[in-house]
Amino acid sequence: MRASEVREAGRTAPRRSGAGRSDAADTRCRIIEATAALLQRQGYESTSVKAIAGAANASPSSVYHFFPGGKQELAIEAMRHGAAEFGELIAEGLASSPDPAEATAACALLLADTLRESDWTDGCPVAVTALETVGRVPGLQEAATEALTRWRSLVAAKLQESGIEPAAARSLAGTVISMLEGAELLSRVSGDDTPLRDAAVHLAQLVRASPRS
Amino acid sequence: MRASEVREAGRTAPRRSGAGRSDAADTRCRIIEATAALLQRQGYESTSVKAIAGAANASPSSVYHFFPGGKQELAIEAMRHGAAEFGELIAEGLASSPDPAEATAACALLLADTLRESDWTDGCPVAVTALETVGRVPGLQEAATEALTRWRSLVAAKLQESGIEPAAARSLAGTVISMLEGAELLSRVSGDDTPLRDAAVHLAQLVRASPRS
DNA sequence: CCAGGACTGGACCGAACGTTCCAACCAGTA
DNA sequence: TACTGGTTGGAACGTTCGGTCCAGTCCTGG
């Protein structure tokens, strides 16, 4: 898919021989990406290891070879992967305008387009998995918290650029993430991007009305 | 648990002569309530029928006796039950002040208190289950959409009372629900009610800035 | 060319899943 | 007392789960 072959880490020797030969790192990467996609769509409990292996064109033993910690370890790594990608989407939205109000609105609209065009499957890669495992899979909860915090920091930085006080920016940025998550939930469940489009309008209002120094 | 006490009392004490089915209706009710509680906490896939039966002091066969449609039918009914209760919580928050800005903020704060005091378990009874089954269990998705629409109507009515135009009120009410859902997600995942408290402040700002006729 | 480690395919495991089945139970009626 | 029909407990069904195991295959360093 995207530039994911960056994962390499040079653990083993660069065994590039034939052209069509599938690298070990490539298999590992395929497993992570397949897991991320399935987690995003159907969450943790509904995603079986065999389904992951199938989607990644690998066998269960390969999954356990690369992720000895089993499904949990794999899910954590996949969530980190998905979170990074979603962070790029947020960054892209934020970069689309110098005005922070328009930029946050753009995030919501970008998310709305992505969701609608993917039949309501490609949204936040954290929400479903995090919600259904909260309090029961600590590693996942931790990874989810990290992701949410990071996204909030991205938004907060943009808000601070326009002169909003750091504390207010952090608080408002958290609300921006909350709004994106909540509006995505409503949009996915109702199969209608109106909640996200409304969120875009109201987020812009909220940011525009925020006091600057 | 309360349910077992009620059941014991009902068995030893003489029942009303008119309705011989009060025992059965009680079992059915216990099953629904237990299901609602489990769905709210851990979602659909992580909740087994045997766990439901255990929590309701019933046996699996009783579950299938009252809900021949199996887990799906039961989950739909339980979601409706939980949605009605959550609607009451929203109504309570809305009724706490004549000012719609303060009223919506009160909803967020009420939710924050409820969540924190229940160790982040008793939140929206729809979010987890709806998200993890979206597109795969149509009946559940429908029930979830109904619930979200109803809650939005409650908020919209409150907003209209203060003179906000119906269309704007409906849109803003949807955003209020989105914000509550999203902030609850962040609060539950991070185990910190700050997102909901921030949401309360920003919701109040948003409502206060809304144009009236 | 071979030794050895990384990797893979697929059979296999015990446990848990949703669900079904049936024998008992219990109040009311005759 | 026998019968009835709704209700219950618990065993059992076939399936699928997460995970293990092992006999290979392939690549690579020596």
Side-chain angles (χ1 to χ4, degrees):
Chain A
M1 283 204 173
R2 283 147 292 270
S4 328
E5 52 266 18
V6 190
R7 172 168 298 281
E8 158 89 12
R11 218 180 70 78
T12 49
R15 37 164 73 193
R16 279 253 160 239
S17 66
R21 215 63 240 133
S22 94
D23 212 32
D26 185 50
T27 299
R28 201 188 124 97
C29 190
R30 281 198 332 266
I31 292 174
I32 288 183
E33 283 174 357
T35 307
L38 288 170
L39 285 186
Q40 187 175 56
R41 269 153 224 200
Q42 44 188 27
Y44 184 78
E45 301 290 349
S46 309
T47 301
S48 75
V49 177
K50 283 180 182 170
I52 290 171
N57 261 87
S59 82
S61 54
S62 294
V63 173
Y64 285 93
H65 172 75
F66 289 108
F67 305 93
K71 195 184 177 185
Q72 290 196 12
E73 179 189 346
L74 175 52
I76 292 170
E77 200 117 358
M79 181 178 283
R80 280 199 247 267
H81 176 85
E85 273 194 358
F86 195 72
E88 287 174 21
L89 184 133
I90 290 182
E92 184 187 334
L94 290 177
S96 70
S97 168
D99 175 24
E102 284 178 24
T104 46
C107 285
L109 295 177
L110 193 55
L111 182 53
D113 292 343
T114 307
L115 265 173
R116 191 173 16 78
E117 285 164 14
S118 67
D119 262 326
W120 317 105
T121 60
D122 292 349
C124 170
V126 163
V128 197
T129 303
L131 260 189
E132 69 177 334
T133 62
V134 66
R136 291 181 299 136
V137 185
L140 270 176
Q141 190 167 354
E142 196 182 322
T145 303
E146 269 173 32
L148 293 169
T149 303
R150 160 133 183 77
W151 302 337
R152 192 188 64 174
S153 299
L154 290 175
V155 176
K158 182 77 178 186
L159 296 179
Q160 283 192 46
E161 278 177 21
S162 70
I164 298 179
E165 294 288 340
R170 218 161 27 237
S171 162
L172 186 54
T175 286
V176 169
I177 301 298
S178 291
M179 182 88 97
L180 290 178
E181 292 289 348
E184 182 194 321
L185 186 147
L186 265 70
S187 285
R188 285 187 74 173
V189 170
S190 64
D192 173 9
D193 60 5
T194 304
L196 270 167
R197 307 209 165 273
D198 287 345
V201 172
H202 294 131
L203 275 180
Q205 286 180 15
L206 204 50
V207 172
R208 207 166 275 129
S210 199
R212 327 277 158 123
S213 59
Chain B
M1 190 180 262
R2 274 175 267 106
S4 60
E5 294 167 10
V6 169
R7 189 170 179 240
E8 283 304 316
R11 178 169 286 184
T12 51
R15 266 183 278 102
R16 318 188 308 240
S17 52
R21 300 178 41 181
S22 89
D23 222 2
D26 184 52
T27 300
R28 203 187 120 97
C29 187
R30 273 186 353 253
I31 291 173
I32 288 183
E33 283 173 358
T35 308
L38 289 170
L39 286 186
Q40 187 175 58
R41 270 154 223 198
Q42 45 189 25
Y44 183 78
E45 300 290 349
S46 310
T47 300
S48 75
V49 177
K50 282 179 182 170
I52 291 171
N57 260 84
S59 82
S61 55
S62 293
V63 173
Y64 285 91
H65 172 74
F66 289 109
F67 305 93
K71 195 184 177 185
Q72 290 196 13
E73 179 188 346
L74 175 52
I76 291 169
E77 200 117 358
M79 182 179 281
R80 279 199 246 270
H81 176 84
E85 273 194 359
F86 195 72
E88 285 174 22
L89 184 133
I90 289 182
E92 184 187 334
L94 290 177
S96 70
S97 169
D99 175 24
E102 282 178 24
T104 46
C107 285
L109 295 177
L110 194 54
L111 182 52
D113 292 343
T114 307
L115 265 173
R116 190 172 18 76
E117 284 164 13
S118 66
D119 262 327
W120 317 104
T121 60
D122 292 350
C124 171
V126 162
V128 198
T129 303
L131 260 190
E132 70 178 331
T133 62
V134 66
R136 290 181 301 137
V137 185
L140 269 176
Q141 192 168 354
E142 196 181 321
T145 303
E146 269 174 32
L148 293 168
T149 302
R150 160 133 183 76
W151 301 338
R152 193 187 63 173
S153 299
L154 290 176
V155 177
K158 182 77 177 186
L159 297 179
Q160 283 191 48
E161 278 178 21
S162 70
I164 297 178
E165 296 288 340
R170 223 168 15 244
S171 163
L172 185 54
T175 287
V176 170
I177 302 299
S178 290
M179 182 86 99
L180 290 179
E181 291 290 348
E184 182 193 321
L185 186 147
L186 265 69
S187 285
R188 284 187 74 172
V189 170
S190 63
D192 173 10
D193 59 6
T194 303
L196 270 168
R197 307 211 165 270
D198 287 344
V201 173
H202 295 130
L203 274 181
Q205 286 179 15
L206 204 48
V207 172
R208 207 166 274 131
S210 199
R212 325 280 159 121
S213 61

Coordinates of all heavy atoms in Angstrom, one line a residue, chain A residues 11 15 24 27 50 58-59 61-62 65-66, chain C residues 4-14:
Chain A
R11 N 17.4 -5.7 11.1 CA 17.7 -6.8 12.1 C 18.5 -7.9 11.5 O 19.6 -8.2 11.9 CB 16.4 -7.3 12.7 CG 16.4 -7.6 14.1 CD 15.1 -8.1 14.6 NE 14.8 -9.5 14.1 CZ 15.4 -10.6 14.6 NH1 16.2 -10.5 15.5 NH2 15.1 -11.7 14.1
R15 N 18.6 -9.6 2.8 CA 18.6 -10.8 1.9 C 17.8 -10.5 0.7 O 16.9 -11.2 0.4 CB 18.0 -12.0 2.7 CG 16.9 -11.6 3.6 CD 16.1 -12.7 4.0 NE 16.8 -13.6 5.0 CZ 16.4 -14.8 5.3 NH1 15.3 -15.3 4.8 NH2 17.0 -15.5 6.2
A24 N 11.3 -11.4 4.6 CA 10.7 -11.7 5.9 C 10.1 -10.4 6.5 O 8.9 -10.4 7.0 CB 11.8 -12.2 6.9
T27 N 6.8 -9.8 4.9 CA 5.7 -10.6 5.5 C 5.2 -10.0 6.8 O 4.0 -9.8 7.0 CB 6.2 -12.1 5.8 OG1 6.5 -12.6 4.5 CG2 5.1 -12.9 6.4
K50 N -6.5 -16.3 12.4 CA -6.6 -17.0 11.1 C -7.0 -16.0 10.0 O -6.5 -16.1 8.9 CB -7.4 -18.2 11.1 CG -6.7 -19.4 11.8 CD -7.6 -20.6 11.9 CE -6.7 -21.7 12.7 NZ -7.5 -22.9 13.1
A58 N -0.5 -15.1 4.6 CA 0.6 -15.8 5.5 C -0.1 -16.9 6.2 O -1.3 -17.1 6.1 CB 1.2 -14.8 6.5
S59 N 0.6 -17.7 7.0 CA 0.0 -18.7 7.7 C 0.1 -18.4 9.2 O 0.9 -17.6 9.6 CB 0.8 -20.0 7.5 OG 2.0 -20.1 8.3
S61 N 1.3 -19.8 11.6 CA 2.7 -20.0 12.2 C 3.6 -18.8 12.0 O 4.4 -18.4 12.8 CB 3.3 -21.3 11.7 OG 3.3 -21.3 10.3
S62 N 3.4 -18.2 10.8 CA 4.2 -17.0 10.5 C 3.8 -15.8 11.5 O 4.6 -15.1 12.0 CB 4.0 -16.5 9.1 OG 4.5 -17.4 8.2
H65 N 5.4 -16.5 14.6 CA 6.8 -16.4 14.5 C 7.2 -15.0 14.7 O 8.2 -14.7 15.4 CB 7.3 -16.9 13.1 CG 8.7 -16.6 12.9 ND1 9.7 -17.4 13.5 CD2 9.3 -15.7 12.1 CE1 10.9 -16.9 13.1 NE2 10.7 -15.9 12.2
F66 N 6.5 -14.0 14.1 CA 6.9 -12.6 14.1 C 6.3 -12.0 15.4 O 6.9 -11.0 15.9 CB 6.4 -11.9 12.9 CG 7.2 -12.2 11.7 CD1 6.6 -13.0 10.7 CD2 8.5 -11.8 11.5 CE1 7.3 -13.3 9.5 CE2 9.2 -12.1 10.4 CZ 8.6 -12.9 9.4
Chain C
dG4 P 25.4 -27.7 12.0 OP1 26.3 -27.6 13.2 OP2 24.6 -28.9 11.8 O5' 24.6 -26.4 11.9 C5' 25.2 -25.1 11.7 C4' 24.2 -24.0 11.6 O4' 23.7 -24.0 10.2 C3' 23.0 -24.2 12.5 O3' 22.6 -22.9 13.0 C2' 21.9 -24.8 11.6 C1' 22.3 -24.1 10.3 N9 21.8 -24.8 9.1 C8 21.7 -26.2 8.9 N7 21.2 -26.5 7.7 C5 21.0 -25.3 7.1 C6 20.6 -25.0 5.8 O6 20.2 -25.8 4.9 N1 20.5 -23.6 5.5 C2 20.9 -22.7 6.4 N2 20.8 -21.4 6.0 N3 21.3 -22.9 7.7 C4 21.4 -24.2 7.9
dG5 P 21.9 -22.8 14.4 OP1 23.0 -22.5 15.4 OP2 21.0 -23.9 14.6 O5' 21.1 -21.4 14.2 C5' 21.7 -20.3 13.6 C4' 20.7 -19.7 12.6 O4' 20.4 -20.6 11.5 C3' 19.3 -19.5 13.2 O3' 18.8 -18.1 12.9 C2' 18.4 -20.5 12.6 C1' 19.1 -20.7 11.2 N9 18.8 -21.9 10.5 C8 19.0 -23.2 11.1 N7 18.6 -24.1 10.2 C5 18.2 -23.5 9.1 C6 17.8 -24.0 7.8 O6 17.6 -25.1 7.5 N1 17.4 -22.9 6.9 C2 17.6 -21.6 7.2 N2 17.2 -20.7 6.3 N3 18.0 -21.1 8.4 C4 18.3 -22.1 9.3
dA6 P 17.7 -17.4 13.7 OP1 18.2 -16.2 14.3 OP2 17.0 -18.5 14.4 O5' 16.7 -17.0 12.5 C5' 17.3 -16.2 11.4 C4' 16.4 -16.3 10.2 O4' 16.4 -17.7 9.7 C3' 14.9 -15.9 10.5 O3' 14.4 -15.1 9.5 C2' 14.2 -17.3 10.5 C1' 15.1 -18.1 9.5 N9 15.0 -19.5 9.7 C8 15.4 -20.2 10.8 N7 15.3 -21.5 10.7 C5 14.8 -21.7 9.4 C6 14.5 -22.9 8.7 N6 14.6 -24.1 9.2 N1 14.0 -22.7 7.4 C2 13.9 -21.5 6.9 N3 14.2 -20.3 7.5 C4 14.6 -20.5 8.8
dC7 P 13.1 -14.3 9.7 OP1 13.1 -13.1 8.9 OP2 12.8 -14.2 11.1 O5' 12.0 -15.3 9.0 C5' 12.1 -15.5 7.6 C4' 11.3 -16.7 7.2 O4' 11.8 -17.9 7.9 C3' 9.8 -16.7 7.5 O3' 9.1 -16.4 6.3 C2' 9.5 -18.1 8.0 C1' 10.8 -18.9 7.8 N1 11.1 -20.0 8.7 C2 10.8 -21.3 8.3 O2 10.4 -21.5 7.1 N3 11.1 -22.4 9.1 C4 11.6 -22.1 10.3 N4 11.9 -23.2 11.1 C5 11.9 -20.8 10.8 C6 11.6 -19.8 9.9
dT8 P 7.5 -16.2 6.4 OP1 7.2 -15.4 5.2 OP2 7.1 -15.9 7.7 O5' 7.0 -17.7 6.1 C5' 7.4 -18.3 4.8 C4' 6.8 -19.7 4.8 O4' 7.4 -20.6 5.8 C3' 5.3 -19.8 5.0 O3' 4.7 -20.5 3.9 C2' 5.1 -20.6 6.3 C1' 6.4 -21.4 6.3 N1 6.9 -21.9 7.6 C2 7.0 -23.2 7.9 O2 6.7 -24.1 7.1 N3 7.5 -23.6 9.1 C4 7.8 -22.7 10.1 O4 8.2 -23.1 11.2 C5 7.7 -21.3 9.8 C7 8.0 -20.2 10.8 C6 7.2 -20.9 8.6
dG9 P 3.2 -20.2 3.5 OP1 3.2 -19.9 2.0 OP2 2.7 -19.3 4.5 O5' 2.6 -21.6 3.7 C5' 3.0 -22.7 2.9 C4' 2.5 -24.0 3.5 O4' 3.2 -24.3 4.7 C3' 1.0 -24.1 3.8 O3' 0.5 -25.2 3.1 C2' 0.9 -24.2 5.3 C1' 2.3 -24.7 5.7 N9 2.8 -24.2 6.9 C8 2.9 -22.9 7.4 N7 3.5 -22.8 8.5 C5 3.8 -24.1 8.9 C6 4.4 -24.5 10.1 O6 4.8 -23.9 11.1 N1 4.5 -25.9 10.1 C2 4.1 -26.7 9.1 N2 4.4 -28.0 9.3 N3 3.6 -26.3 8.0 C4 3.4 -25.0 8.0
dG10 P -1.0 -25.5 3.0 OP1 -1.3 -26.2 1.7 OP2 -1.7 -24.2 3.2 O5' -1.3 -26.4 4.2 C5' -0.4 -27.5 4.4 C4' -0.7 -28.2 5.7 O4' 0.0 -27.5 6.8 C3' -2.2 -28.1 6.1 O3' -2.5 -29.4 6.7 C2' -2.2 -27.0 7.2 C1' -0.9 -27.3 7.9 N9 -0.4 -26.2 8.7 C8 -0.6 -24.8 8.5 N7 0.0 -24.1 9.4 C5 0.6 -25.0 10.2 C6 1.4 -24.8 11.4 O6 1.7 -23.8 11.9 N1 1.8 -26.0 11.9 C2 1.5 -27.3 11.4 N2 2.0 -28.3 12.1 N3 0.8 -27.5 10.3 C4 0.4 -26.3 9.8
dA11 P -4.0 -29.9 6.8 OP1 -4.3 -30.6 5.5 OP2 -4.9 -28.9 7.3 O5' -3.9 -31.1 7.9 C5' -2.7 -31.9 8.0 C4' -2.3 -32.1 9.4 O4' -1.7 -30.8 10.0 C3' -3.4 -32.5 10.4 O3' -3.0 -33.6 11.2 C2' -3.7 -31.2 11.2 C1' -2.3 -30.6 11.2 N9 -2.4 -29.1 11.4 C8 -3.0 -28.2 10.6 N7 -2.8 -27.0 11.0 C5 -2.1 -27.1 12.2 C6 -1.6 -26.1 13.1 N6 -1.8 -24.8 12.9 N1 -0.8 -26.6 14.1 C2 -0.6 -27.9 14.2 N3 -1.0 -28.9 13.4 C4 -1.8 -28.4 12.4
dC12 P -4.0 -34.4 12.1 OP1 -3.5 -35.7 12.3 OP2 -5.4 -34.2 11.5 O5' -4.0 -33.6 13.5 C5' -2.7 -33.5 14.1 C4' -2.8 -32.5 15.3 O4' -2.9 -31.2 14.7 C3' -4.0 -32.7 16.2 O3' -3.6 -33.3 17.4 C2' -4.5 -31.2 16.4 C1' -3.4 -30.4 15.7 N1 -4.0 -29.1 15.2 C2 -3.6 -27.9 15.8 O2 -3.0 -27.9 16.8 N3 -4.1 -26.7 15.3 C4 -4.8 -26.8 14.1 N4 -5.2 -25.6 13.6 C5 -5.2 -28.0 13.5 C6 -4.7 -29.1 14.0
dC13 P -4.8 -33.8 18.4 OP1 -4.3 -35.0 19.1 OP2 -6.1 -33.8 17.7 O5' -4.8 -32.6 19.5 C5' -3.6 -32.3 20.2 C4' -3.8 -31.1 21.1 O4' -3.9 -29.9 20.2 C3' -5.1 -31.2 21.8 O3' -4.8 -31.5 23.2 C2' -5.8 -29.8 21.7 C1' -4.8 -29.0 20.8 N1 -5.5 -28.3 19.7 C2 -5.6 -26.9 19.7 O2 -5.1 -26.3 20.7 N3 -6.2 -26.3 18.7 C4 -6.7 -27.0 17.7 N4 -7.3 -26.3 16.7 C5 -6.6 -28.4 17.6 C6 -6.0 -29.0 18.6
dG14 P -6.0 -32.2 24.1 OP1 -5.3 -33.2 25.0 OP2 -7.1 -32.7 23.2 O5' -6.6 -31.0 24.9 C5' -5.7 -30.2 25.7 C4' -6.3 -28.9 26.0 O4' -6.6 -28.2 24.7 C3' -7.7 -28.9 26.7 O3' -7.7 -27.9 27.7 C2' -8.7 -28.7 25.6 C1' -8.0 -27.8 24.7 N9 -8.4 -27.8 23.3 C8 -8.7 -28.9 22.5 N7 -9.1 -28.7 21.3 C5 -9.0 -27.3 21.2 C6 -9.3 -26.4 20.1 O6 -9.7 -26.7 19.0 N1 -9.1 -25.1 20.5 C2 -8.7 -24.6 21.7 N2 -8.6 -23.3 21.9 N3 -8.4 -25.5 22.7 C4 -8.6 -26.8 22.4

